[in-house]
Amino acid sequence: MNIRKFALIAALGLCTAGSAWAKDYKVGQVEIDDLWVRASAPGQSNGAGYMDIDNDAKTADRLVSVTSDAAERVELHTVQTENGVSKMRQVEGGIAVPADTEVKLSPGGYHVMFIKLRAPFKDGDTVPATLKFEKAGEVAVQFKVKPASHNPGMSHDHGAMKH
């Protein structure tokens, strides 16, 4: 094994170990929690990421971009309903995070769109990404890959039950 491969494996191991210990991420006065994506279905080329952003600052901020090597492109999206039809739209200029407020990126609303996945998202894995805020700066995060059936509105996970 050459030095480059060893360094990459060691770095990935540290990222995974760090994500197991750290529940929250913080940059400036902005905390990010509950980052997740659903596992990919066969043939699925895109994926959506979700999270909670809590701005404890006295001034507003803005999530301006997300980058990740897990996809060819990453965009911030929202869902808009026009004439009874819901459509995803890219959010121009980022997602506003008002002062002393929590913003939830969740199914049916704001989300991170991973476009042209380089590999399927597999249940139990993590997806590394970097969030960039207008004022707070950048923070490296890990999205946890949850089962394709994950429904955040449910109070318990039937997937964990033994039948």
Side-chain angles (χ1 to χ4, degrees):
M1 179 181 302
N2 68 30
I3 295 272
R4 247 183 161 165
K5 284 183 183 175
F6 179 78
L8 177 61
I9 291 168
L12 289 173
L14 287 174
C15 288
T16 302
S19 68
W21 295 321
K23 183 179 177 212
D24 298 334
Y25 299 92
K26 187 168 185 168
V27 58
Q29 293 295 307
V30 176
E31 282 189 37
I32 305 99
D33 190 23
D34 196 24
L35 295 96
W36 64 278
V37 296
R38 283 191 182 98
S40 302
Q44 184 177 347
S45 61
N46 299 331
Y50 309 102
M51 68 186 96
D52 296 339
I53 303 170
D54 189 10
N55 183 5
D56 291 330
K58 299 300 176 208
T59 58
D61 207 335
R62 179 174 297 278
L63 176 61
V64 293
S65 66
V66 178
T67 57
S68 175
D69 289 337
E72 280 188 25
R73 203 166 73 243
V74 183
E75 298 176 351
L76 297 171
H77 281 205
T78 190
V79 176
Q80 295 176 337
T81 303
E82 299 167 3
N83 300 321
V85 178
S86 295
K87 296 181 181 182
M88 278 193 299
R89 299 278 187 239
Q90 186 173 2
V91 178
E92 297 299 327
I95 298 172
V97 185
D100 204 25
T101 301
E102 183 178 50
V103 174
K104 291 186 177 282
L105 278 65
S106 59
Y110 288 122
H111 57 279
V112 176
M113 199 71 212
F114 295 88
I115 300 169
K116 294 189 179 176
L117 300 179
R118 298 191 194 283
F121 292 161
K122 294 182 181 171
D123 185 15
D125 284 353
T126 57
V127 177
T130 300
L131 310 181
K132 182 177 181 183
F133 291 89
E134 187 174 69
K135 295 179 182 163
E138 294 186 2
V139 60
V141 299
Q142 298 278 334
F143 286 83
K144 182 175 172 141
V145 181
K146 298 197 175 185
S149 61
H150 179 67
N151 181 350
M154 293 182 64
S155 60
H156 56 280
D157 183 6
H158 286 286
M161 295 175 69
K162 298 206 185 307
H163 296 281

